[in-house]
Amino acid sequence: MKHQLKFLILMLLPFILWSQNSERNLSSENWSFKKISESKWLPAKVPGTVHTDLYNNKIIPNPFFGNNEKELQWIENDTWEYQTSFKISKKELNNQNIIFQFEGLDTYADVFLNNRKILEANNMFRTWKVDAKNDLKVGKNNLKIIFKSAVEIGKAKARKLPYTLPERERIFSRKAQYHFGWDWAPRFVTSGIYRPIKLLFWNNATIENIKYDQEELNESIAKLNFKVTVNAQVDGIYDLKINEVQNAFELKKGINIIDFPYEINNPKLWWTKGLGKANLYLFEIDLSKNKVQLSFKKLNIGLRTIELIQEKDSIGKSFYFKLNGKPVFMKGANYIPPDSFLPNVTTSEYKNIVQNAVDANMNLLRVWGGGVYPEDVFFEECDKNGILVWQDFMFACGMYPGDSDFLDNAKNEIVDNVSRLQNHPSIALWCGNNENDEGWKNWGWQKQFNYSKQDSTQIWNDYEKLFHQLIPKTLDSLLSKKENRYWPSSPSIGWGKKESLTQGDSHYWGIWWGKEPFEEYKKKVGRFMSEYGFQGMPNIKTLEKVIQKEDLNFTSEAFKNHQKHPTGFETINEYMKRDFPVPNELEKYNYVSQVLQAYGMKTAIEAHRLAKPYCMGSLYWQLNDCWPVTSWSTLDYYGNWKASHFQVRESFAPILLIVSENNNGLSVVGTNDNLEPQAGIVIAKLIDFSGNELWMNSKECVLNSEKNTNCMNILFTELPKFAKDKTVLQLEFICNNKKTVTYHYFVKPKELQLEKPTIEIKIVGETLIELKTNTLAKNLYLQADDTFFKENYFDLLPGVSKIIKTDKPSTAIKIVSMFDLLNE
């Protein structure tokens, strides 16, 4: 009997193995590449890009270094070929279905399997699937991919039109638009295999897609309906199990959509950062037949409701989000791709970007439409950490074609990406494009390109076909009504129009592009500020990695190349002269540029929060960089915090005291982003720079959670005489043994009469230092090799002991303060 059982198991084992679904990643195979006109093959890395493969083979220098970018533009015009060989076993070939899955081909790619063309790809954002069963063979198989120039194809398509579309060749290719260069990005029009290539093996049936509808959600129950798309090879009875619940279904050969209801008692809601826990429920979906597992998927779900509220009021029209029925002030930034060469970005780097947003008290990131749809790990981290995502579709700052081929391609792209991302609880909004509507109406394209009335009509009709018809209709077919939140274009109205501040979302660029003073941030506040910002340099050590020391000056071409805005430093200088000293030495200039950026961000964010609930969102431009550059980012390319990121963390704190000054005195306003009112004490102190307390007042205050609270009014007449250039108002809000501290200065930074501070540094723990000063130390900047200080660029008053945590033990700490600049 024992031998018979053993024989039976051996007989059934192949059937069991062949019945289970499996996949094989071809990235680990030996890949090679070459320019198609050459004969020599070179080793390649997959995922990768032509540029990184050329660099790894020492054919080209570091693309980011110095002025190398300008010498490498030839790469974008050539055709490149990749190849590998891989073995297929008889057992693998015996699977009923074998699918090639190409997750990231950039961009125009002809794919050949054993010398037969199996795919013509034309969109880097799509997932391409090809049935490979009949083209594979036992033993060695050859895969070849030829990448044609997106630049040359784009130019050829542009020539076919009777008019010129803004941004010329880039808008014809479904490719990351920033690759063609931006005012913060180099021009590296890449090609290559930037995401994995997989072989998928399945038998009998496979789960192709899962989505769910949240049909009811309250304190006692959550009623879900899973829609599981199953591709069955043969008719029959199959078992589908979701966690502990199992049901049998009769499936027909082909595509089947199974409705599977599921209930959760006493559900825990998913909340954003600062409002509660980002509770997630793990679901395991198991498809089987005759007790043999065929297909298995995992899915994390967050139970929440999100609404975009747009209601007419006496001023215009609201624009804000409700999460679980609660209005939420959105605090965050615009996210761009973290590298010009996407495969360079590691999983840990994606995690760090989200963590840096969490650490800065953000609750929403906008994925900007000129980049790419991020990797799964980005959304998974947002899900875990309570960060909502405003997801643009990948169209930016241009007008796009409206022919049927382009629209069909765009539709498939949307289906692929919405299907991949729709189950993430972090998804708050789908947005059609970035600034296309504004560009058409406000940037003078019609005059610039001398369009006829017929041309203008055609171009605008094509715009409406894509963003007002195709995309919303596609979303209607994919999403439930509750999850279908679509906004055609960000912003809805250009920043020069009065209506941009009374309805919709607003990109306000009067500061920077319009060179208006920072004080205009206080006047130009819209309903939802989805873009605004100011540039700041990255750390000098960041620039030293890509610029030779002798070129670290404003006249060198290498230095200029790492500032992509045509008048970038000119604009920084103009603003710096208004409020700060302008140093001659580069390292000091770098420091002031960072403090200047932080100063502007503080002004903007406080103005937005002061306008709550009229304004219900503040998303600055931009969170991160794609290479080492002077830009609007608060995190540099290597993830280092600029002064502005420390300021953002303070300005986005759940509780913030904001001071407004007029001719008669000061008003202290408390803003509270918690779900409940916060009761505490406001303490106001007038302190001179030597630490002497000139005046003090305190008052109990309950901070409303839905609107701002006027905590204290201070008339100048009730204050003793004081020198405005030598005095600071310190404000504290003490609640539940937690203290929020704010400083208000009465003159511009360059007008402050600072004394030379003597800073006492004491090591009080392995990664803890204590700082004290004898006089005000303004914008105190601490630096040590490869050390991150949890607080930096802060103000320190006499009589205050400040404990700073570091990420590693540090002793040789260099200190810079604003005194060093004012007394250069």
Side-chain angles (χ1 to χ4, degrees), residues 260-275:
F260 197 116
Y262 193 98
E263 294 186 358
I264 301 172
N265 293 319
N266 304 313
K268 295 179 180 179
L269 297 181
W270 185 93
W271 289 98
T272 54
K273 159 76 176 176
L275 297 185

Side-chain angles (χ1 to χ4, degrees), residues 387-401:
I387 301 292
L388 287 167
V389 176
W390 169 319
Q391 177 65 58
D392 280 6
F393 292 107
M394 294 300 115
F395 304 90
C397 302
M399 299 303 285
Y400 289 80

